[in-house]
Amino acid sequence: MRNLPVRPSILCRKLLAVAAGLLILSACGENRLEASVQPGIERTEQHNETFSQWRDDFRSQALAAGINGQLFDRAFHGVEPDPAVLKADSSQPEFTRPVWEYLEGAMSSQRQATGRMMLSRHAGILQQIEARYGVDRHILVAIWGLESNYGSNMGDRSVIRSLATLAHQGRRSGFAQSQLLAALEILQRGDVSVDGMVGSWAGAMGQTQFIPTTYNDYAVDFDGNGKRDIWQTEADALASAANYLRASNWQTGARWGMEVRLREGFDYALADMSIRKPMAEWAQLGVTDARGQPLDSRSTSEATLILPAGHRGPAFLVKNNFRSILRYNNSTSYALAIALLAERFQGSGEIRAPWPTDDKPLSRTERLELQERLEAQGFDPGSVDGIIGANTRQAIRRLQIALGWPADGYPDQQLLKALRHKEN
């Protein structure tokens, strides 16, 4: 999950009071350890202490925060750093899948078929969850399908070992340490056993892949057995996801958005998540639905235009509920996959416009080069980190405007070639 402020639990507040330098619990970005963190808070020094030295120091901090010493010792019994976790933490893939390939995998025929079966099998529970939290059951099942393949792929690594490894040597040790403390709180409440607390290499847990702080604030005991079990109890897992989305400003009964068609000569600079306009205003700008039919010019609901593959690909107007999904995972591709998969369960969700499948995505090396060249030529892309964020997209737009190209902010091979040419 992403960008939703997370309230620190009481024990976490205590730890923050006694352990200066720990990460302030802020955003549960993707509901994973890869979530964004506040600049300037993360510890960056090299860890010269051994794992046992770090563990003993952390034990003192955890006990000062209220963790039972016997529980701590039981949780850490036999725990040593996991080299596979460190490898995963340090690896940055050179190539990423284009959005159309990601969607194809996310909405496979098998995932659609299993999702429909789960909707039928759990209809009663889903109806109750929908009534209590106001979140569309199809969205919940889509999240369930993408996060853990309907509970069949939750990860099998010890959450304590993974987080301890990352807290000792990981890139964002402060954040990992705060998650580790939250994991100990979960164990202390008795929601799950030490052996049962398994998840991904980054510490995401259960059928809905919550990180520990998100679990502490939003997991619910929907079946009323006294435990918030997102590992083995589908009702708890799905209701917890619904509770999180409700807290992320989900609007009951509202659409996530729709595919649209843009007129010739449209100002692609308007395709930006920071821009919201009433549907009536988009209609005035010549935006129609995907079939070319007029939008509802009477609608006052606001929407944002996104172009996941630039101006050559499909266009979408997305609304508040799309942003709520982004709080769960701050990826446009992910949010689009959830929204469209939920529609596929109901017999719709087909995209009409073609994807630019001949457009080879930039590799990480090429994205770094793009940012370096943008910076060298005065377009101010922000950090040179290989991540195409808001600042880089604005820099790309400035370059595109200078070149007389459609200013969609989309990085592609043609743009990189233009930058290379400008320096020669």
Side-chain angles (χ1 to χ4, degrees):
M1 302 177 174
R2 316 218 182 353
N3 297 341
L4 182 64
V6 175
R7 301 183 306 276
S9 63
I10 294 174
L11 289 178
C12 282
R13 292 192 189 100
K14 291 179 180 177
L15 180 61
L16 290 170
V18 299
L22 280 184
L23 175 70
I24 294 175
L25 299 183
S26 56
C28 179
E30 297 182 18
N31 191 27
R32 296 166 178 77
L33 196 61
E34 294 87 347
S36 59
V37 295
Q38 295 182 2
I41 292 179
E42 190 62 55
R43 297 190 305 176
T44 58
E45 73 270 15
Q46 294 295 318
H47 298 281
N48 296 319
E49 60 187 352
T50 65
F51 181 78
S52 60
Q53 289 172 331
W54 168 85
R55 181 197 58 219
D56 291 345
D57 179 63
F58 178 65
R59 185 181 189 277
S60 298
Q61 297 176 31
L63 266 59
I67 296 297
N68 178 274
Q70 291 183 342
L71 169 71
F72 185 99
D73 295 339
R74 188 166 68 252
F76 272 81
H77 179 70
V79 169
E80 296 291 340
D82 187 340
V85 167
L86 289 176
K87 181 178 179 180
D89 183 51
S90 61
S91 66
Q92 299 186 56
E94 178 67 13
F95 298 98
T96 56
R97 285 186 297 170
V99 58
W100 51 89
E101 290 185 7
Y102 175 83
L103 291 176
E104 183 179 4
M107 298 188 293
S108 67
S109 57
Q110 180 61 54
R111 202 184 307 271
Q112 292 181 51
T114 304
R116 294 188 188 98
M117 181 180 67
M118 292 299 181
L119 281 160
S120 175
R121 178 182 298 174
H122 300 283
I125 290 295
L126 286 166
Q127 184 178 10
Q128 295 174 41
I129 293 172
E130 200 172 55
R132 182 176 301 181
Y133 298 102
V135 179
D136 178 14
R137 70 186 69 186
H138 302 93
I139 291 289
L140 295 176
V141 172
I143 288 174
W144 188 22
L146 260 66
E147 292 294 343
S148 68
N149 197 22
Y150 308 105
S152 67
N153 186 20
M154 295 182 285
D156 57 2
R157 296 187 180 278
S158 162
V159 169
I160 297 297
R161 186 185 184 194
S162 294
L163 291 175
T165 301
L166 293 168
H168 176 233
Q169 293 183 330
R171 289 178 297 120
R172 291 180 283 203
S173 59
F175 183 75
Q177 191 157 314
S178 69
Q179 296 304 316
L180 182 55
L181 178 73
L184 291 170
E185 295 178 37
I186 296 168
L187 293 175
Q188 187 154 288
R189 277 194 306 271
D191 283 337
V192 65
S193 68
V194 174
D195 291 339
M197 183 180 270
V198 295
S200 73
W201 69 264
M205 311 179 303
Q207 300 189 37
T208 46
Q209 293 291 279
F210 276 14
I211 58 172
T213 49
T214 302
Y215 176 99
N216 282 340
D217 284 329
Y218 300 105
V220 297
D221 171 24
F222 195 78
D223 66 357
N225 71 347
K227 295 183 178 182
R228 300 182 295 174
D229 183 7
I230 64 173
W231 291 268
Q232 303 299 326
T233 305
E234 289 85 356
D236 287 2
L238 292 166
S240 296
N243 188 40
Y244 186 90
L245 287 175
R246 182 176 67 173
S248 302
N249 303 315
W250 183 270
Q251 294 180 352
T252 303
R255 294 188 63 183
W256 66 268
M258 60 190 299
E259 185 185 0
V260 294
R261 185 184 298 179
L262 308 179
R263 62 171 175 77
E264 190 74 23
F266 185 84
D267 181 6
Y268 294 107
L270 295 175
D272 190 282
M273 285 301 293
S274 66
I275 298 174
R276 304 190 197 203
K277 294 180 180 293
M279 292 293 286
E281 190 169 336
W282 289 115
Q284 292 172 2
L285 291 169
V287 180
T288 67
D289 71 14
R291 294 177 173 80
Q293 298 301 308
L295 301 178
D296 183 1
S297 60
R298 300 167 299 175
S299 175
T300 59
S301 64
E302 292 187 331
T304 292
L305 179 67
I306 63 170
L307 303 171
H311 73 281
R312 296 177 57 216
F316 302 88
L317 281 179
V318 299
K319 299 186 178 183
N320 181 81
N321 284 351
F322 188 87
R323 293 178 181 271
S324 296
I325 301 170
L326 285 174
R327 299 281 185 98
Y328 205 101
N329 185 324
N330 193 22
S331 160
T332 299
S333 296
Y334 175 90
L336 194 58
I338 294 296
L340 293 173
L341 180 58
E343 291 188 349
R344 292 285 180 91
F345 293 152
Q346 303 169 79
S348 58
E350 298 290 340
I351 300 174
R352 298 179 67 88
W355 294 101
T357 54
D358 59 336
D359 185 4
K360 179 184 175 183
L362 297 180
S363 68
R364 181 174 183 274
T365 298
E366 288 170 331
R367 295 195 301 272
L368 287 166
E369 180 188 352
L370 176 76
Q371 290 175 322
E372 289 169 352
R373 291 182 181 275
L374 285 168
E375 184 176 53
Q377 296 180 34
F379 290 100
D380 189 20
S383 300
V384 177
D385 54 10
I387 299 172
I388 307 300
N391 290 334
T392 300
R393 291 189 185 279
Q394 289 300 328
I396 291 171
R397 286 195 177 95
R398 289 189 285 271
L399 171 61
Q400 290 170 327
I401 291 171
L403 294 170
W405 294 1
D408 59 10
Y410 183 71
D412 58 17
Q413 297 289 340
Q414 186 180 15
L415 191 77
L416 182 56
K417 289 178 182 177
L419 277 169
R420 291 168 177 166
H421 180 74
K422 284 174 68 69
E423 287 192 3
N424 296 330

